[in-house]
Amino acid sequence: MDYFKTAPNFMWGVATAANQVEGGWDEDGKGMSIADCMRYRPKIDTNDYQAVNQMDSHEIELALADHSTKGWAKRHGVDFYHRYREDIKLLAATGINTYRFSISWARIFPNGDDTEPNQAGLDFYLAIVKELAKYHITPVVTLSHYEMPLNLVLKYDSWYDRRVIDYFERYAKTVIDYLHQYVQYWIPINEIDSIIRHPFSSAGLVADRFPEDNFKTVTYQAMHHQFIAAAKVVAYCHQNYPKMQVGSMITRTMVYPYNSDPDNVLAATQTMRDVYAFSDIQVRGRYPAFLLEKLTADGIKIKFGSNDKKLLAENTADFVTFSYYSSICTASDTTGLPVTKANRTIGVYNQYLPESEWGWQIDPVGLRLSLIDLYDRYQKPLFIVENGLGAVDELGPDLRVHDTYRISYLRQHIRQMLIAIANDGVELMGYCIWGTTDMISASSNQMSKRYGLIFVDLDDNGDGTYNRYLKDSYYWYQQLLSYGTQIPVNYLQEADTKLQCS
Protein backbone atom coordinates (compact mmCIF):
# COMPACT_ATOMS: atom_id res chain seq x y z
CA MET A 1 0.00 0.00 0.00
CA ASP A 2 1.47 3.32 -1.10
CA TYR A 3 -1.29 5.60 0.17
CA PHE A 4 -3.71 5.91 3.06
CA LYS A 5 -7.09 6.89 1.68
CA THR A 6 -9.70 9.04 3.40
CA ALA A 7 -13.22 9.92 2.32
CA PRO A 8 -13.65 13.21 0.42
CA ASN A 9 -15.78 14.54 3.31
CA PHE A 10 -13.33 13.50 6.05
CA MET A 11 -13.17 16.29 8.61
CA TRP A 12 -9.57 17.35 9.22
CA GLY A 13 -9.33 20.06 11.81
CA VAL A 14 -8.20 21.61 15.07
CA ALA A 15 -9.97 22.08 18.39
CA THR A 16 -10.11 24.48 21.30
CA ALA A 17 -12.30 25.72 24.17
CA ALA A 18 -13.57 29.20 24.96
CA ASN A 19 -12.25 29.33 28.51
CA GLN A 20 -8.73 28.46 27.39
CA VAL A 21 -8.34 30.89 24.50
CA GLU A 22 -10.88 33.71 24.50
CA GLY A 23 -9.97 36.09 27.30
CA GLY A 24 -12.28 39.11 27.46
CA TRP A 25 -13.62 37.60 30.66
CA ASP A 26 -15.64 40.66 31.70
CA GLU A 27 -16.18 42.39 28.35
CA ASP A 28 -19.36 43.12 26.41
CA GLY A 29 -21.72 41.79 29.03
CA LYS A 30 -20.08 38.44 29.73
CA GLY A 31 -20.73 37.07 33.20
CA MET A 32 -18.25 35.36 35.48
CA SER A 33 -17.79 31.65 34.83
CA ILE A 34 -16.36 28.82 36.90
CA ALA A 35 -13.22 28.96 34.72
CA ASP A 36 -12.63 32.52 35.90
CA CYS A 37 -12.12 31.11 39.41
CA MET A 38 -9.22 28.84 38.40
CA ARG A 39 -5.84 30.25 39.41
CA TYR A 40 -2.37 29.31 38.28
CA ARG A 41 -0.69 28.22 41.52
CA PRO A 42 3.01 27.62 40.88
CA LYS A 43 3.67 26.16 44.33
CA ILE A 44 1.37 23.20 43.61
CA ASP A 45 2.70 20.23 41.68
CA THR A 46 1.02 20.60 38.27
CA ASN A 47 0.79 16.82 38.01
CA ASP A 48 -1.30 16.69 41.17
CA TYR A 49 -4.57 17.17 39.32
CA GLN A 50 -6.71 16.87 42.43
CA ALA A 51 -4.83 19.71 44.10
CA VAL A 52 -4.69 21.87 40.96
CA ASN A 53 -8.42 21.51 40.32
CA GLN A 54 -9.56 21.60 43.93
CA MET A 55 -12.13 24.30 44.58
CA ASP A 56 -13.84 25.40 47.78
CA SER A 57 -15.96 28.34 48.85
CA HIS A 58 -12.93 30.29 50.08
CA GLU A 59 -11.28 30.06 46.65
CA ILE A 60 -14.47 31.31 45.02
CA GLU A 61 -14.57 34.26 47.45
CA LEU A 62 -10.99 35.12 46.47
CA ALA A 63 -11.95 35.01 42.81
CA LEU A 64 -14.98 37.24 43.36
CA ALA A 65 -12.90 39.79 45.26
CA ASP A 66 -10.13 40.06 42.65
CA HIS A 67 -11.13 41.69 39.36
CA SER A 68 -7.71 41.50 37.75
CA THR A 69 -6.40 38.93 35.28
CA LYS A 70 -3.01 38.52 36.96
CA GLY A 71 -2.74 34.94 38.12
CA TRP A 72 -6.16 34.08 36.71
CA ALA A 73 -4.94 32.58 33.45
CA LYS A 74 -8.31 31.71 31.96
CA ARG A 75 -9.51 35.28 32.34
CA HIS A 76 -7.02 36.47 29.75
CA GLY A 77 -6.58 33.26 27.71
CA VAL A 78 -4.62 34.05 24.55
CA ASP A 79 -6.90 36.94 23.51
CA PHE A 80 -8.83 35.01 20.86
CA TYR A 81 -11.76 37.31 21.67
CA HIS A 82 -9.97 40.16 19.90
CA ARG A 83 -7.78 38.15 17.51
CA TYR A 84 -10.16 35.50 16.16
CA ARG A 85 -9.97 36.77 12.57
CA GLU A 86 -6.17 36.60 12.59
CA ASP A 87 -6.16 33.15 14.18
CA ILE A 88 -8.78 31.69 11.84
CA LYS A 89 -6.90 33.05 8.83
CA LEU A 90 -3.68 31.38 10.00
CA LEU A 91 -5.47 28.09 10.68
CA ALA A 92 -7.29 28.17 7.35
CA ALA A 93 -3.92 28.36 5.59
CA THR A 94 -3.09 24.85 6.85
CA GLY A 95 -5.92 23.47 4.72
CA ILE A 96 -8.20 22.39 7.58
CA ASN A 97 -11.88 21.98 6.76
CA THR A 98 -13.11 21.70 10.36
CA TYR A 99 -12.83 23.82 13.49
CA ARG A 100 -14.13 22.63 16.84
CA PHE A 101 -14.71 25.34 19.42
CA SER A 102 -16.94 25.94 22.41
CA ILE A 103 -19.34 28.69 23.35
CA SER A 104 -19.08 30.36 26.72
CA TRP A 105 -22.48 29.95 28.38
CA ALA A 106 -21.72 33.02 30.53
CA ARG A 107 -21.15 35.13 27.41
CA ILE A 108 -24.70 34.34 26.24
CA PHE A 109 -26.55 34.21 29.57
CA PRO A 110 -24.22 36.03 32.01
CA ASN A 111 -25.96 34.69 35.12
CA GLY A 112 -27.19 31.45 33.61
CA ASP A 113 -30.78 32.06 34.71
CA ASP A 114 -31.35 35.28 32.73
CA THR A 115 -34.58 35.46 30.75
CA GLU A 116 -32.97 37.24 27.79
CA PRO A 117 -29.60 36.53 26.14
CA ASN A 118 -26.68 38.91 25.84
CA GLN A 119 -26.84 40.06 22.22
CA ALA A 120 -23.15 40.97 22.09
CA GLY A 121 -22.26 37.39 22.98
CA LEU A 122 -24.49 35.94 20.27
CA ASP A 123 -23.04 38.32 17.71
CA PHE A 124 -19.48 37.35 18.65
CA TYR A 125 -20.10 33.69 17.89
CA LEU A 126 -22.04 34.54 14.75
CA ALA A 127 -18.99 36.50 13.59
CA ILE A 128 -16.80 33.44 14.25
CA VAL A 129 -18.93 31.04 12.21
CA LYS A 130 -19.23 33.56 9.40
CA GLU A 131 -15.45 33.92 9.39
CA LEU A 132 -15.12 30.13 9.22
CA ALA A 133 -17.62 30.01 6.36
CA LYS A 134 -15.46 32.48 4.44
CA TYR A 135 -12.71 29.85 4.40
CA HIS A 136 -15.09 26.89 3.84
CA ILE A 137 -14.39 25.54 7.32
CA THR A 138 -17.10 23.48 9.03
CA PRO A 139 -17.71 24.36 12.68
CA VAL A 140 -18.23 21.70 15.34
CA VAL A 141 -19.62 23.45 18.40
CA THR A 142 -19.47 22.35 22.03
CA LEU A 143 -22.13 23.98 24.19
CA SER A 144 -20.56 23.34 27.58
CA HIS A 145 -16.80 22.98 27.97
CA TYR A 146 -15.79 23.69 31.59
CA GLU A 147 -17.25 27.22 31.66
CA MET A 148 -20.75 27.38 33.17
CA PRO A 149 -21.89 30.68 34.74
CA LEU A 150 -20.66 31.05 38.33
CA ASN A 151 -24.04 32.39 39.44
CA LEU A 152 -25.57 28.95 38.86
CA VAL A 153 -23.08 27.55 41.37
CA LEU A 154 -23.77 30.18 43.99
CA LYS A 155 -27.55 30.32 43.58
CA TYR A 156 -28.50 26.75 42.66
CA ASP A 157 -25.51 24.54 43.53
CA SER A 158 -24.94 23.98 39.84
CA TRP A 159 -26.07 20.81 38.05
CA TYR A 160 -27.23 19.23 41.30
CA ASP A 161 -30.36 21.39 41.05
CA ARG A 162 -32.71 20.10 38.38
CA ARG A 163 -33.70 23.66 37.43
CA VAL A 164 -30.28 24.03 35.78
CA ILE A 165 -31.46 21.61 33.07
CA ASP A 166 -34.04 24.20 32.05
CA TYR A 167 -31.49 27.01 32.06
CA PHE A 168 -29.13 24.97 29.90
CA GLU A 169 -31.98 24.09 27.55
CA ARG A 170 -32.86 27.78 27.14
CA TYR A 171 -29.22 28.60 26.46
CA ALA A 172 -28.81 25.73 23.97
CA LYS A 173 -31.98 26.56 22.04
CA THR A 174 -31.00 30.22 21.85
CA VAL A 175 -27.56 29.44 20.42
CA ILE A 176 -28.77 26.72 18.07
CA ASP A 177 -31.48 28.98 16.65
CA TYR A 178 -29.07 31.88 16.21
CA LEU A 179 -26.35 29.86 14.48
CA HIS A 180 -28.43 27.21 12.70
CA GLN A 181 -27.59 28.46 9.21
CA TYR A 182 -23.89 27.89 9.85
CA VAL A 183 -23.59 25.00 12.35
CA GLN A 184 -24.65 21.42 11.66
CA TYR A 185 -22.59 19.52 14.27
CA TRP A 186 -23.09 19.96 18.02
CA ILE A 187 -21.64 18.42 21.17
CA PRO A 188 -23.78 19.30 24.21
CA ILE A 189 -21.23 18.62 26.97
CA ASN A 190 -17.48 18.12 26.75
CA GLU A 191 -16.09 14.89 28.25
CA ILE A 192 -19.27 14.23 30.21
CA ASP A 193 -17.51 11.53 32.27
CA SER A 194 -15.05 14.07 33.67
CA ILE A 195 -17.52 15.12 36.36
CA ILE A 196 -16.30 12.10 38.35
CA ARG A 197 -12.65 13.19 38.24
CA HIS A 198 -12.96 16.97 38.56
CA PRO A 199 -16.51 17.92 39.59
CA PHE A 200 -15.92 21.66 39.82
CA SER A 201 -14.38 22.43 36.44
CA SER A 202 -16.72 19.99 34.74
CA ALA A 203 -19.98 20.73 36.54
CA GLY A 204 -19.45 23.50 39.09
CA LEU A 205 -19.80 21.25 42.13
CA VAL A 206 -18.16 22.49 45.35
CA ALA A 207 -17.93 19.83 48.06
CA ASP A 208 -18.16 22.15 51.06
CA ARG A 209 -21.55 23.39 49.86
CA PHE A 210 -22.99 19.95 50.61
CA PRO A 211 -21.98 19.35 54.27
CA GLU A 212 -24.94 17.07 54.98
CA ASP A 213 -24.81 15.06 51.75
CA ASN A 214 -22.76 12.23 50.33
CA PHE A 215 -20.74 14.14 47.72
CA LYS A 216 -20.56 11.08 45.49
CA THR A 217 -24.37 10.99 45.41
CA VAL A 218 -24.37 14.70 44.60
CA THR A 219 -21.95 14.11 41.74
CA TYR A 220 -23.96 11.30 40.15
CA GLN A 221 -27.21 13.24 40.49
CA ALA A 222 -25.60 16.22 38.75
CA MET A 223 -24.27 13.85 36.07
CA HIS A 224 -27.79 12.55 35.49
CA HIS A 225 -29.06 16.08 35.00
CA GLN A 226 -26.33 16.64 32.40
CA PHE A 227 -27.48 13.53 30.54
CA ILE A 228 -31.06 14.81 30.52
CA ALA A 229 -29.94 18.22 29.30
CA ALA A 230 -27.92 16.62 26.49
CA ALA A 231 -30.90 14.50 25.45
CA LYS A 232 -33.04 17.63 25.28
CA VAL A 233 -30.51 19.15 22.89
CA VAL A 234 -30.74 16.06 20.68
CA ALA A 235 -34.54 16.25 20.74
CA TYR A 236 -34.61 19.95 19.87
CA CYS A 237 -32.16 19.61 16.98
CA HIS A 238 -33.89 16.57 15.48
CA GLN A 239 -37.35 18.14 15.76
CA ASN A 240 -36.46 21.58 14.45
CA TYR A 241 -33.39 21.10 12.26
CA PRO A 242 -33.45 17.55 10.83
CA LYS A 243 -30.08 17.92 9.09
CA MET A 244 -28.28 18.69 12.34
CA GLN A 245 -26.29 15.99 14.09
CA VAL A 246 -25.57 15.83 17.83
CA GLY A 247 -22.67 13.83 19.27
CA SER A 248 -21.76 12.45 22.66
CA MET A 249 -18.27 12.87 24.12
CA ILE A 250 -16.14 10.98 26.60
CA THR A 251 -12.51 11.04 27.74
CA ARG A 252 -10.86 8.00 26.18
CA THR A 253 -7.72 7.03 28.07
CA MET A 254 -6.68 3.52 27.04
CA VAL A 255 -6.37 1.20 30.07
CA TYR A 256 -4.27 -1.98 29.96
CA PRO A 257 -3.82 -4.69 32.57
CA TYR A 258 -0.43 -4.39 34.25
CA ASN A 259 0.31 -7.97 33.17
CA SER A 260 -1.55 -11.11 32.08
CA ASP A 261 -2.74 -11.99 35.58
CA PRO A 262 -6.51 -12.57 35.08
CA ASP A 263 -7.28 -10.43 38.12
CA ASN A 264 -5.43 -7.54 36.50
CA VAL A 265 -7.20 -8.11 33.18
CA LEU A 266 -10.49 -7.96 35.06
CA ALA A 267 -9.44 -4.73 36.79
CA ALA A 268 -8.65 -3.13 33.42
CA THR A 269 -11.95 -4.32 31.96
CA GLN A 270 -13.89 -2.92 34.89
CA THR A 271 -12.10 0.43 34.59
CA MET A 272 -12.98 0.68 30.91
CA ARG A 273 -16.60 -0.28 31.56
CA ASP A 274 -16.79 2.58 34.06
CA VAL A 275 -15.71 4.98 31.28
CA TYR A 276 -17.97 3.45 28.63
CA ALA A 277 -20.97 3.75 30.95
CA PHE A 278 -21.12 7.46 30.16
CA SER A 279 -21.24 6.97 26.41
CA ASP A 280 -23.56 3.96 26.81
CA ILE A 281 -26.18 6.23 28.35
CA GLN A 282 -26.02 8.74 25.51
CA VAL A 283 -25.63 6.26 22.65
CA ARG A 284 -27.84 3.39 23.83
CA GLY A 285 -30.32 5.55 25.70
CA ARG A 286 -30.27 3.80 29.06
CA TYR A 287 -28.11 3.25 32.10
CA PRO A 288 -26.10 0.00 31.84
CA ALA A 289 -27.18 -2.62 34.38
CA PHE A 290 -23.70 -2.90 35.92
CA LEU A 291 -23.63 0.84 36.68
CA LEU A 292 -27.02 0.69 38.41
CA GLU A 293 -25.80 -2.28 40.45
CA LYS A 294 -22.63 -0.42 41.38
CA LEU A 295 -24.54 2.68 42.46
CA THR A 296 -26.89 0.60 44.57
CA ALA A 297 -23.95 -1.15 46.24
CA ASP A 298 -22.46 2.26 47.04
CA GLY A 299 -25.72 3.50 48.51
CA ILE A 300 -26.27 6.00 45.71
CA LYS A 301 -29.82 6.54 44.47
CA ILE A 302 -30.33 8.83 41.49
CA LYS A 303 -33.63 10.69 41.39
CA PHE A 304 -35.24 10.30 37.96
CA GLY A 305 -37.91 12.62 36.62
CA SER A 306 -41.11 10.96 35.41
CA ASN A 307 -40.11 11.33 31.74
CA ASP A 308 -36.34 10.88 32.06
CA LYS A 309 -36.09 7.26 30.89
CA LYS A 310 -38.24 7.96 27.84
CA LEU A 311 -36.25 11.09 27.01
CA LEU A 312 -32.92 9.23 27.16
CA ALA A 313 -34.24 6.29 25.12
CA GLU A 314 -35.69 8.41 22.34
CA ASN A 315 -32.89 10.96 21.96
CA THR A 316 -29.60 9.15 21.48
CA ALA A 317 -26.46 10.63 19.97
CA ASP A 318 -25.92 10.58 16.22
CA PHE A 319 -22.16 10.11 16.50
CA VAL A 320 -19.58 9.34 19.19
CA THR A 321 -16.74 11.77 19.89
CA PHE A 322 -13.83 11.39 22.25
CA SER A 323 -10.53 12.86 23.35
CA TYR A 324 -7.41 10.72 23.29
CA TYR A 325 -3.96 11.63 24.57
CA SER A 326 -2.38 8.68 26.35
CA SER A 327 -2.83 5.36 28.13
CA ILE A 328 -2.28 3.85 31.57
CA CYS A 329 -2.15 0.42 33.17
CA THR A 330 -4.04 -0.86 36.17
CA ALA A 331 -4.02 -3.87 38.49
CA SER A 332 -6.25 -5.50 41.07
CA ASP A 333 -3.71 -4.45 43.70
CA THR A 334 -1.62 -1.41 42.77
CA THR A 335 0.32 -1.30 46.05
CA GLY A 336 3.99 -0.56 45.35
CA LEU A 337 3.56 -0.28 41.57
CA PRO A 338 5.03 2.76 39.79
CA VAL A 339 2.51 5.49 39.01
CA THR A 340 2.02 7.51 35.83
CA LYS A 341 -0.25 10.41 34.82
CA ALA A 342 -2.81 10.81 32.06
CA ASN A 343 -5.61 13.23 31.16
CA ARG A 344 -6.54 14.38 34.70
CA THR A 345 -6.16 10.87 36.05
CA ILE A 346 -3.44 8.52 37.26
CA GLY A 347 -2.60 4.88 36.66
CA VAL A 348 0.15 2.30 36.78
CA TYR A 349 3.27 3.00 34.71
CA ASN A 350 3.71 1.08 31.43
CA GLN A 351 7.37 0.12 30.95
CA TYR A 352 6.95 -0.16 27.19
CA LEU A 353 5.94 3.44 26.54
CA PRO A 354 7.73 6.82 26.61
CA GLU A 355 6.19 9.75 28.43
CA SER A 356 5.77 13.48 27.93
CA GLU A 357 7.27 16.17 30.15
CA TRP A 358 4.06 16.07 32.19
CA GLY A 359 4.31 12.31 32.66
CA TRP A 360 1.60 11.28 30.18
CA GLN A 361 2.59 8.03 28.48
CA ILE A 362 2.48 8.23 24.71
CA ASP A 363 0.68 5.37 23.02
CA PRO A 364 -0.29 5.71 19.33
CA VAL A 365 -1.47 2.09 19.08
CA GLY A 366 -3.79 2.84 21.99
CA LEU A 367 -5.64 5.24 19.69
CA ARG A 368 -6.20 2.46 17.15
CA LEU A 369 -7.40 0.15 19.91
CA SER A 370 -9.76 2.86 21.16
CA LEU A 371 -11.26 3.27 17.70
CA ILE A 372 -11.77 -0.48 17.35
CA ASP A 373 -13.34 -0.81 20.81
CA LEU A 374 -15.69 2.14 20.39
CA TYR A 375 -16.83 1.20 16.91
CA ASP A 376 -17.36 -2.45 17.79
CA ARG A 377 -19.38 -1.35 20.81
CA TYR A 378 -21.65 1.23 19.19
CA GLN A 379 -21.55 0.82 15.39
CA LYS A 380 -21.98 4.56 15.03
CA PRO A 381 -19.68 7.09 13.34
CA LEU A 382 -16.75 8.11 15.52
CA PHE A 383 -14.94 11.45 15.69
CA ILE A 384 -11.59 12.12 17.37
CA VAL A 385 -12.19 15.68 18.57
CA GLU A 386 -9.01 16.05 20.68
CA ASN A 387 -5.53 14.60 20.22
CA GLY A 388 -2.26 16.37 20.84
CA LEU A 389 0.92 16.76 22.84
CA GLY A 390 1.50 19.20 25.68
CA ALA A 391 5.16 20.23 25.78
CA VAL A 392 7.51 23.10 26.60
CA ASP A 393 8.20 24.94 23.35
CA GLU A 394 10.98 27.47 22.82
CA LEU A 395 10.79 30.26 20.27
CA GLY A 396 14.12 30.31 18.44
CA PRO A 397 16.09 33.27 17.10
CA ASP A 398 14.56 32.51 13.69
CA LEU A 399 11.13 33.14 15.28
CA ARG A 400 10.15 29.52 14.75
CA VAL A 401 9.48 26.63 17.11
CA HIS A 402 11.20 23.44 15.96
CA ASP A 403 8.80 21.03 17.66
CA THR A 404 9.95 17.76 16.10
CA TYR A 405 8.58 15.94 19.19
CA ARG A 406 5.05 17.16 18.42
CA ILE A 407 5.37 16.22 14.77
CA SER A 408 6.48 12.74 15.82
CA TYR A 409 3.49 12.43 18.17
CA LEU A 410 1.02 13.56 15.50
CA ARG A 411 2.61 11.42 12.80
CA GLN A 412 2.37 8.25 14.83
CA HIS A 413 -1.18 8.83 16.04
CA ILE A 414 -2.52 9.84 12.64
CA ARG A 415 -0.87 6.79 11.11
CA GLN A 416 -2.60 4.47 13.58
CA MET A 417 -5.89 6.25 12.95
CA LEU A 418 -5.59 5.73 9.20
CA ILE A 419 -4.68 2.07 9.70
CA ALA A 420 -7.88 1.68 11.75
CA ILE A 421 -9.88 3.12 8.84
CA ALA A 422 -8.11 0.98 6.24
CA ASN A 423 -7.81 -2.34 8.06
CA ASP A 424 -10.26 -2.40 10.95
CA GLY A 425 -13.47 -1.23 9.31
CA VAL A 426 -13.84 1.80 11.58
CA GLU A 427 -16.23 4.51 10.39
CA LEU A 428 -14.48 7.74 11.32
CA MET A 429 -15.91 11.18 10.59
CA GLY A 430 -12.85 13.22 11.36
CA TYR A 431 -9.81 14.14 13.42
CA CYS A 432 -9.01 17.37 15.30
CA ILE A 433 -5.64 18.28 16.74
CA TRP A 434 -5.77 19.84 20.20
CA GLY A 435 -5.19 22.73 19.82
CA THR A 436 -5.07 25.72 17.53
CA THR A 437 -2.81 28.37 18.93
CA ASP A 438 -1.20 27.67 22.28
CA MET A 439 -3.72 28.08 25.08
CA ILE A 440 -4.13 27.86 28.83
CA SER A 441 -3.85 24.22 29.89
CA ALA A 442 -7.11 22.82 31.28
CA SER A 443 -5.32 20.37 33.55
CA SER A 444 -2.68 22.67 35.05
CA ASN A 445 -3.75 26.28 34.30
CA GLN A 446 -0.33 26.83 32.74
CA MET A 447 0.68 28.55 29.54
CA SER A 448 4.00 26.72 29.40
CA LYS A 449 2.24 23.43 28.72
CA ARG A 450 1.73 24.16 25.05
CA TYR A 451 -0.39 22.22 22.55
CA GLY A 452 -0.84 24.55 19.61
CA LEU A 453 0.43 24.59 16.05
CA ILE A 454 0.92 28.32 16.55
CA PHE A 455 3.13 29.69 19.32
CA VAL A 456 1.75 32.53 21.46
CA ASP A 457 4.23 34.81 23.23
CA LEU A 458 2.84 34.53 26.74
CA ASP A 459 4.16 33.00 29.95
CA ASP A 460 2.60 31.37 33.01
CA ASN A 461 2.31 34.74 34.76
CA GLY A 462 0.35 36.26 31.88
CA ASP A 463 3.25 38.37 30.64
CA GLY A 464 4.06 38.65 26.92
CA THR A 465 3.09 40.30 23.65
CA TYR A 466 0.47 37.73 22.63
CA ASN A 467 2.12 37.70 19.20
CA ARG A 468 1.68 34.55 17.08
CA TYR A 469 4.50 32.52 15.50
CA LEU A 470 4.16 29.41 13.35
CA LYS A 471 5.69 26.16 14.57
CA ASP A 472 7.24 23.44 12.43
CA SER A 473 4.22 21.28 13.30
CA TYR A 474 2.02 23.87 11.60
CA TYR A 475 3.88 23.34 8.33
CA TRP A 476 3.90 19.56 8.82
CA TYR A 477 0.11 19.47 9.18
CA GLN A 478 -0.24 21.81 6.23
CA GLN A 479 1.78 19.42 4.08
CA LEU A 480 -0.26 16.43 5.31
CA LEU A 481 -3.52 18.11 4.36
CA SER A 482 -2.17 19.10 0.94
CA TYR A 483 -2.28 15.42 -0.06
CA GLY A 484 -6.07 15.41 0.04
CA THR A 485 -7.71 11.99 0.11
CA GLN A 486 -4.49 10.06 -0.65
CA ILE A 487 -1.78 10.44 1.97
CA PRO A 488 1.56 8.81 1.13
CA VAL A 489 2.41 6.07 3.60
CA ASN A 490 6.02 7.24 3.74
CA TYR A 491 4.92 10.68 4.97
CA LEU A 492 3.74 9.01 8.16
CA GLN A 493 6.81 6.86 8.68
CA GLU A 494 9.91 7.68 10.65
CA ALA A 495 13.10 5.80 11.39
CA ASP A 496 12.75 6.10 15.16
CA THR A 497 9.31 4.85 16.12
CA LYS A 498 9.87 5.59 19.81
CA LEU A 499 8.74 9.15 20.38
CA GLN A 500 10.85 11.33 22.64
CA CYS A 501 9.92 14.78 23.91
CA SER A 502 12.37 17.64 24.15
Side-chain angles (χ1 to χ4, degrees):
M1 182 174 67
D2 296 325
Y3 298 93
F4 288 114
K5 294 183 179 180
T6 58
N9 62 346
F10 190 81
M11 300 170 75
W12 288 102
V14 290
T16 189
N19 73 90
Q20 294 171 256
V21 297
E22 279 184 7
W25 75 289
D26 60 352
E27 294 185 42
D28 299 327
K30 179 185 173 295
M32 194 167 179
S33 79
I34 58 176
D36 297 325
C37 299
M38 305 295 288
R39 286 189 294 156
Y40 169 58
R41 292 180 280 183
K43 293 182 180 179
I44 295 178
D45 178 3
T46 55
N47 281 323
D48 186 347
Y49 303 131
Q50 191 170 23
V52 170
N53 292 282
Q54 185 177 5
M55 184 59 59
D56 56 28
S57 296
H58 175 65
E59 278 292 317
I60 292 175
E61 289 171 4
L62 291 176
L64 287 166
D66 188 347
H67 299 284
S68 71
T69 61
K70 196 71 173 177
W72 308 92
K74 290 174 182 174
R75 294 184 182 183
H76 58 70
V78 293
D79 199 32
F80 179 78
Y81 189 68
H82 301 106
R83 300 171 185 248
Y84 69 90
R85 288 188 178 89
E86 171 193 349
D87 287 347
I88 290 172
K89 182 178 181 180
L90 287 172
L91 293 164
T94 64
I96 61 168
N97 59 21
T98 303
Y99 182 81
R100 178 193 169 217
F101 67 97
S102 74
I103 292 176
S104 171
W105 185 352
R107 202 175 287 285
I108 307 302
F109 287 93
N111 298 299
D113 60 354
D114 314 78
T115 55
E116 296 296 328
N118 173 32
Q119 190 62 44
L122 288 171
D123 290 342
F124 170 64
Y125 293 108
L126 181 62
I128 288 176
V129 295
K130 283 184 174 180
E131 194 72 13
L132 293 171
K134 185 168 77 175
Y135 296 103
H136 308 288
I137 296 172
T138 299
V140 176
V141 176
T142 308
L143 289 167
S144 179
H145 193 142
Y146 304 162
E147 51 215 342
M148 73 182 299
L150 180 62
N151 179 64
L152 295 180
V153 177
L154 302 178
K155 191 173 179 180
Y156 302 95
D157 280 327
S158 185
W159 282 101
Y160 183 65
D161 191 316
R162 192 175 175 95
R163 287 174 291 181
V164 172
I165 298 174
D166 297 329
Y167 299 136
F168 182 81
E169 185 180 14
R170 178 191 296 165
Y171 154 65
K173 287 179 177 179
T174 300
V175 170
I176 290 165
D177 288 345
Y178 205 72
L179 303 181
H180 76 273
Q181 290 181 300
Y182 296 91
V183 183
Q184 179 180 350
Y185 301 99
W186 300 88
I187 300 170
I189 296 175
N190 178 75
E191 295 179 335
I192 200 164
D193 58 296
S194 64
I195 188 173
I196 303 300
R197 299 185 302 278
H198 42 96
F200 178 76
S201 61
S202 180
L205 298 175
V206 182
D208 66 19
R209 294 179 67 87
F210 301 92
E212 306 300 324
D213 298 296
N214 180 332
F215 191 59
K216 198 170 182 181
T217 298
V218 169
T219 302
Y220 275 95
Q221 186 65 56
M223 173 205 71
H224 177 71
H225 292 158
Q226 287 189 330
F227 284 131
I228 298 304
K232 284 175 174 274
V233 172
V234 175
Y236 186 74
C237 288
H238 287 179
Q239 291 165 10
N240 294 277
Y241 305 103
K243 292 184 178 180
M244 283 185 182
Q245 295 185 46
V246 183
S248 63
M249 186 183 175
I250 59 168
T251 314
R252 184 59 170 90
T253 297
M254 187 68 203
V255 180
Y256 301 110
Y258 182 64
N259 55 30
S260 58
D261 182 333
D263 286 339
N264 292 340
V265 175
L266 179 61
T269 300
Q270 289 172 329
T271 301
M272 286 314 310
R273 290 185 91 197
D274 288 344
V275 174
Y276 285 143
F278 297 89
S279 46
D280 283 351
I281 294 166
Q282 291 189 279
V283 180
R284 293 174 171 169
R286 63 187 183 277
Y287 278 69
F290 82 87
L291 177 59
L292 293 174
E293 291 290 339
K294 179 180 178 180
L295 294 176
T296 299
D298 290 344
I300 296 171
K301 184 174 177 58
I302 295 174
K303 297 176 183 176
F304 277 67
S306 59
N307 198 44
D308 284 3
K309 289 183 179 180
K310 185 173 185 289
L311 189 67
L312 290 172
E314 294 180 354
N315 299 285
T316 56
D318 299 305
F319 58 98
V320 180
T321 78
F322 65 100
S323 59
Y324 179 87
Y325 295 94
S326 59
S327 67
I328 57 174
C329 292
T330 193
S332 60
D333 181 3
T334 60
T335 305
L337 296 178
V339 173
T340 189
K341 307 294 192 295
N343 187 5
R344 291 194 178 186
T345 189
I346 59 173
V348 176
Y349 181 82
N350 188 333
Q351 63 177 319
Y352 299 103
L353 296 174
E355 60 183 16
S356 75
E357 290 163 288
W358 272 263
W360 296 19
Q361 294 205 267
I362 298 162
D363 181 13
V365 175
L367 176 57
R368 180 182 176 186
L369 291 169
S370 298
L371 288 165
I372 293 169
D373 285 353
L374 284 166
Y375 193 67
D376 284 353
R377 190 178 189 92
Y378 299 123
Q379 295 291 296
K380 283 197 175 187
L382 306 180
F383 197 153
I384 304 165
V385 291
E386 292 184 26
N387 176 240
L389 177 69
V392 174
D393 295 334
E394 298 293 339
L395 186 67
D398 57 353
L399 299 182
R400 286 273 290 272
V401 175
H402 302 296
D403 54 341
T404 55
Y405 39 90
R406 182 169 293 108
I407 292 171
S408 183
Y409 179 99
L410 295 173
R411 177 188 285 121
Q412 292 184 48
H413 283 77
I414 290 172
R415 176 182 173 83
Q416 292 298 323
M417 174 191 79
L418 294 174
I419 291 173
I421 295 172
N423 295 356
D424 303 322
V426 171
E427 183 182 358
L428 188 63
M429 294 170 58
Y431 169 87
C432 288
I433 293 175
W434 185 267
T436 51
T437 60
D438 292 332
M439 64 186 83
I440 308 303
S441 169
S443 62
S444 66
N445 297 310
Q446 291 174 283
M447 189 67 203
S448 55
K449 187 181 183 183
R450 298 175 181 270
Y451 282 90
L453 302 175
I454 300 167
F455 183 90
V456 178
D457 178 28
L458 192 67
D459 65 19
D460 287 341
N461 298 312
D463 297 321
T465 65
Y466 289 85
N467 290 342
R468 274 64 167 154
Y469 302 93
L470 304 184
K471 303 180 187 180
D472 287 357
S473 56
Y474 173 98
Y475 294 103
W476 181 87
Y477 198 42
Q478 183 182 60
Q479 180 63 50
L480 174 80
L481 299 185
S482 73
Y483 293 122
T485 60
Q486 293 195 105
I487 300 171
V489 169
N490 61 13
Y491 190 70
L492 297 173
Q493 291 176 331
E494 56 186 335
D496 180 12
T497 58
K498 291 292 185 182
L499 184 150
Q500 299 293 335
C501 294
S502 66

